[in-house]
Amino acid sequence: MLMMDQAAEGNREELRRKLRENFDGRIVRKDLTKKIKEGANVPVYVLEFLLGQYCSSDDEEIIEQGVQNVKHILADNFVRPDEAQKILSQLRKKGSHTIIDMVTVHLDIKKDCFFAEFSNLGLSNVPITDDYPEKFDRLLCGGIWCIVQLEYESEGDSSFGMEDLDSEPRQKKQKDVSPISIRKLTPIQMPHIDIEKVRTGRKAFTQDEWMDVMLRSCGYEPEQLNQREKWLLLARMLPLVENNFNLCELGPRSTGKSHIYKEISPNSILVSGGQTTVANLFYNMGRKTVGLVGLWDCVAFDEVAGIKFKDKDGIQIMKDYMASGSFARGKEEKAASASMVFVGNINQSVDVLLKTSSLFDPFPSEMGTDTAFLDRLHCYIPGWEIPKFRPEHFTNDYGFITDYLAEFIRELRKEQYGDALDKYFRLGKNLNQRDTIAVRKIVGGYVKLLYPDGEFTKEQLEEILVFALEMRRRVKEQLKKLGGMEFYDVNFSYIDLDTFEEKFVSVPEQGGGKLIPDGMCNPGQIHTVSRGKSGMIGVFRLESQMLPGSGKFERTGLGSDRDCRESTNTAFNFLKANGNRISGGISTASKDYIINYQDLQGIGMTGKLALPTLIALCSIALGRPTVSTLAVLGEISISGTILKVDELANSLQVCLDSGAKKVLLPISSAVDLGTVPPELVGSFNLIFYSSAEDAVFKALGVE
């Protein structure tokens, strides 16, 4: 154990050395961030920049001194919005003051001059020399946090003292000028980014090392995570690195679903509470301004269950935007590149959700059942596989300053790597256009995150491709559940262009917990598939008991539903009239029968219960179980007439998803088999019956 710890420490030390060599001044110890963050409500990226400046050392004394310096700087200079007037009064009294604030610069074309705007201080139209926006171009692109030395000049002086970067005074004459001027401005975010430096630096690291660096930069400790969890956490960064990427993550509480969109990137916004308007999100027609999707790289909705649009057309516009990256408002069409992220909590276990509804259950009903909306999601992260975060999951080691990470990720949005897979692989025929786009986006995103230098092997790309196909297939599997046969093609695969071997990719959670179990059932236990009260097709289980008595027939689990009770009466009356044609051992006069009916998927009980009830009664009366993994389809009338199956393809699809391997089918439905995809028909042993008695014999395996 000790040797393993020493090896791990040696690896960490080697990684730190590589980081210091290649990214000096752009890395920070993450435990220092945690220490100060708990006491100062300042953006992480501001804090880490200061720490990167003052604590870039291995010497504990220097680090401690650096931390104290950062604390003093924040205490003395950080502008809280509620103290803005107090700071302005100090500035007027003393004549100069240094502040930390978010500064945005705009060019006033009429006056031919640049003006700065301070976010927390609430100042605008403060003149600034041309040198600053030229040197720090991010001032003009949404603004950056800066340390600014401000000066206050008494009224009446028509000049305002401004020093350029060479400390040469420059005077400008102007009427009604602000008495406040900028003496010196120092950015405390990355003023610009050199992407080539990132690419060169990446070459020094292996894939695993670089993945650990990326995770530590977001605050996670990779040594506490397995390989699968690392890949899933990395998937959360895909919307930040890909344009118009739609991601969904649902899982238990406290797994840090919204952390990355709120804390790590200054380019993403988290819409809390879920309530929003079309004007706020897309376009305000009154002011003629673009909403959040035009201002941010990523718009994340926290707690999807509460998403509400005040406008009726909100979800329609969102669907349009998610599909094409543009939306029409009024007379014109607007384009934007913001990614959409939906995160929320799952209240039940995954097994229960898969059996009773879909994995999109937490969404509001207008979204969670709208297949057109859900089909636009590129990726579904299985949040239930990510561990609940404890203190040891957060790193104390070195990672990139979050601002540096956010900026080079933002820079990578301009590049496209989705076609990287075409060199080695081809996607299988079950992927339609939307699936292909989704898979390419995921592949492109992962390549940018892991291989920004564009150097990767075929094996590394295959690993990404398998993961991408799984993330999209999870969406498709749930669509199949909600939309039926329209989405039957879920068997995603890829073909190796060297060997022409086709490999299929499955979804882990689909494997277990089939509704129709393998092996023999008990006598009197029947599974039938038909349409429930809600209109959805589902699986129903019948369990029977026989007691000595006087020919009573009791039913439990049906409630007061008249249709259900009538169809079960039909079965019992048919047995009374025709029991001797099936077997002389069936008595309907000296025995009592009890059948319990279960709606396994919570879709409301079906009214087509006559045939399953008849088979269940005969099975318990003869003490003979049905053939294994059987699903019963079809219905009979009181006279024994066979009724064909509605929506045969959808019903067979439900049989397949529920684990049935044999299907009892009326011969009259054979003509409809042409509407069913051949691979679906080939999944079963189909057993045809021509009468009610024939159905009973074949269900019980009697030749």
Side-chain angles (χ1 to χ4, degrees), residues 235-248:
R236 289 177 175 173
M237 297 169 78
L238 292 172
L240 299 171
V241 78
E242 274 291 308
N243 292 319
N244 300 108
F245 187 84
N246 309 318
L247 176 133
C248 158

Side-chain angles (χ1 to χ4, degrees), residues 27-175:
I27 53 173
V28 68
R29 242 178 61 192
K30 296 289 174 175
D31 59 328
L32 303 177
T33 310
K34 279 189 286 190
K35 271 183 199 167
I36 304 182
K37 179 70 182 147
E38 282 156 11
N41 195 10
V42 48
V44 171
Y45 35 91
V46 171
L47 185 55
E48 289 197 350
F49 189 89
L50 291 170
L51 289 168
Q53 298 294 306
Y54 289 94
C55 309
S56 185
S57 168
D58 286 338
D59 188 328
E60 284 299 322
E61 276 188 31
I62 296 174
I63 287 176
E64 189 53 42
Q65 186 57 47
V67 168
Q68 293 307 318
N69 286 344
V70 170
K71 282 183 175 174
H72 285 310
I73 290 170
L74 289 174
D76 297 343
N77 306 116
F78 184 73
V79 179
R80 287 176 41 185
D82 56 335
E83 292 181 350
Q85 290 303 314
K86 178 181 151 188
I87 286 171
L88 288 172
S89 144
Q90 283 179 352
L91 173 62
R92 180 171 175 261
K93 192 175 171 185
K94 292 191 304 191
S96 68
H97 191 67
T98 303
I99 63 162
I100 295 176
D101 202 349
M102 169 84 143
V103 182
T104 317
V105 172
H106 70 272
L107 175 65
D108 189 322
I109 294 173
K110 285 183 182 170
K111 294 174 182 170
D112 186 27
C113 183
F114 286 102
F115 288 96
E117 191 174 318
F118 294 80
S119 172
N120 286 359
L121 201 56
L123 277 183
S124 57
N125 289 337
V126 176
I128 184 168
T129 64
D130 299 1
D131 306 39
Y132 289 115
E134 281 168 18
K135 194 172 178 187
F136 313 128
D137 50 6
R138 276 184 67 191
L139 285 165
L140 299 162
C141 313
I144 48 175
W145 285 81
C146 305
I147 296 181
V148 190
Q149 290 180 16
L150 293 178
E151 287 190 340
Y152 194 96
E153 293 197 2
S154 57
E155 200 101 29
D157 188 356
S158 59
S159 68
F160 47 92
M162 291 195 294
E163 288 187 356
D164 65 8
L165 299 177
D166 302 317
S167 300
E168 290 175 9
R170 294 167 60 176
Q171 304 286 329
K172 283 195 178 182
K173 298 277 182 187
Q174 197 173 310
K175 286 180 186 171

Side-chain angles (χ1 to χ4, degrees), residues 8-18 20 58 397:
E9 185 52 46
N11 291 342
R12 277 206 294 272
E13 193 49 57
E14 174 65 12
L15 195 55
R16 282 178 210 140
R17 185 188 63 74
K18 287 184 179 178
R20 278 196 293 273
D58 286 338
D397 218 322

